Amino acid sequence: MKKVTRPELDEYFLKVAAVVAERSTCRRHHIGAVAVRDKHILSTGYNGAAAGLKDCLELGCLRDERSIPSGERHEICRGIHAEQNVIIQAALYGVNLEKSTIYCTHTPCILCAKMLVNARIARYVSFGRYSDDEFIGLFEEAAIEVDIKKRPSSRISYLD
């Protein structure tokens, strides 16, 4: 009989975040986020242009055109960050994110970190690092637990 193994929950939800990231319309980074509470997915989000508007895949990247480094001048971008979209999607459907865990493919920028503090999340889990670590002090002050895990395998295992 074939041995069946199951990923532990953090690995599982980080894999889900990685799949969500595939929907990104950003030319620089594909980032996905998943809000979870009690093993239940509350909402998902990825980085990309506002709904229904032309995106960077179609129009090109404003930040590349202006040589703006990652982590700077967030306002010069068509995209909405994955963490912002996970909050927006929850709000659109009346889902409270309080005490949830956010699983994201990258650590947050300071703008997203502030929003997550106000959403009253309890925990943030990631395997990738954003270009700055300004969120760390803010999350410590807000008592948000941060776990940086190793990148999960991209292999999906299932029985045939």
Side-chain angles (χ1 to χ4, degrees):
M1 176 172 246
K2 185 176 181 180
K3 182 179 176 175
V4 177
T5 58
R6 296 173 67 196
E8 57 98 27
L9 287 172
D10 284 346
E11 179 184 0
Y12 169 70
F13 288 119
L14 283 173
K15 280 184 165 188
V16 172
V19 170
V20 170
E22 290 183 322
R23 291 283 303 153
S24 171
T25 60
C26 177
R27 291 179 176 264
R28 286 185 169 196
H29 303 284
H30 284 194
I31 300 175
V34 180
V36 175
R37 188 174 47 240
D38 299 327
K39 302 181 195 177
H40 178 76
I41 294 174
L42 304 173
S43 68
T44 65
Y46 53 86
N47 58 325
L53 302 184
K54 292 181 180 178
D55 58 50
C56 295
L57 297 178
E58 186 175 349
L59 298 173
C61 175
L62 292 172
R63 298 172 61 77
D64 282 347
E65 291 167 10
R66 298 178 190 184
S67 301
I68 300 170
S70 184
E72 297 179 15
R73 306 286 316 269
H74 296 283
E75 74 280 6
I76 300 175
C77 182
R78 288 183 185 89
I80 298 166
H81 290 189
E83 299 95 331
Q84 294 167 353
N85 271 324
V86 88
I87 293 167
I88 291 165
Q89 289 302 308
L92 284 171
Y93 294 97
V95 177
N96 182 351
L97 296 181
E98 189 170 6
K99 297 181 182 172
S100 67
T101 296
I102 302 297
Y103 290 90
C104 192
T105 58
H106 290 68
T107 54
C109 72
I110 192 65
L111 298 174
C112 289
K114 290 177 195 179
M115 292 178 191
L116 292 167
V117 167
N118 271 10
R120 299 182 183 155
I121 70 162
R123 186 169 174 243
Y124 194 95
V125 182
S126 183
F127 60 80
R129 294 245 181 210
Y130 189 59
S131 58
D132 71 63
D133 286 334
E134 287 187 55
F135 76 96
I136 293 172
L138 184 67
F139 277 11
E140 285 175 358
E141 186 178 350
I144 294 172
E145 179 185 347
V146 176
D147 285 318
I148 307 299
K149 304 285 188 174
K150 70 176 193 157
R151 184 183 194 105
S153 168
S154 59
R155 185 176 189 285
I156 305 297
S157 58
Y158 54 89
L159 296 175
D160 291 331

